[in-house]
Amino acid sequence: MLWPSRLSPVLALALSPDGTRLAVGCRNEVVLYEVGAVALKLLARARAQLDPVQSLAWLPDGKRLLSGAFRRVILWDAATLTPER
């Protein structure tokens, strides 16, 4: 799916179990931020799939992240934001 450059919908958010990282599903990307006292710091960004990211969930240990879109789920290594499966 092609997106207009002005449109960047956020359809999913997930805070890590320890509260230090925020995963954002923005368009067809997963964006990872470090949560600071005053602001967010961009840690990583990765293209997930063609469709918009509609769901995000952290595994309890905070080492992996799941993203979901239309008929597709990706398991991410949260340290490097690289897909594992």
Side-chain angles (χ1 to χ4, degrees):
M1 171 184 278
L2 296 175
W3 291 91
S5 61
R6 298 181 315 267
L7 183 62
S8 294
V10 173
L11 299 177
L13 296 169
L15 190 61
S16 65
D18 63 3
T20 62
R21 292 168 292 164
L22 178 67
V24 178
C26 182
R27 299 169 62 146
N28 63 339
E29 295 181 319
V30 173
V31 185
L32 193 60
Y33 293 97
E34 179 181 18
V35 177
V38 178
L40 298 174
K41 177 184 171 189
L42 178 65
L43 294 176
R45 165 179 247 130
R47 183 172 177 188
Q49 51 257 350
L50 295 176
D51 293 310
V53 175
Q54 297 176 330
S55 59
L56 292 165
W58 290 88
L59 271 62
D61 63 6
K63 294 180 181 179
R64 292 186 181 89
L65 175 69
L66 289 166
S67 69
F70 180 69
R71 297 190 326 177
R72 183 175 168 122
V73 174
I74 299 175
L75 178 65
W76 301 88
D77 177 332
T80 61
L81 205 55
T82 55
E84 290 186 352
R85 292 186 198 171

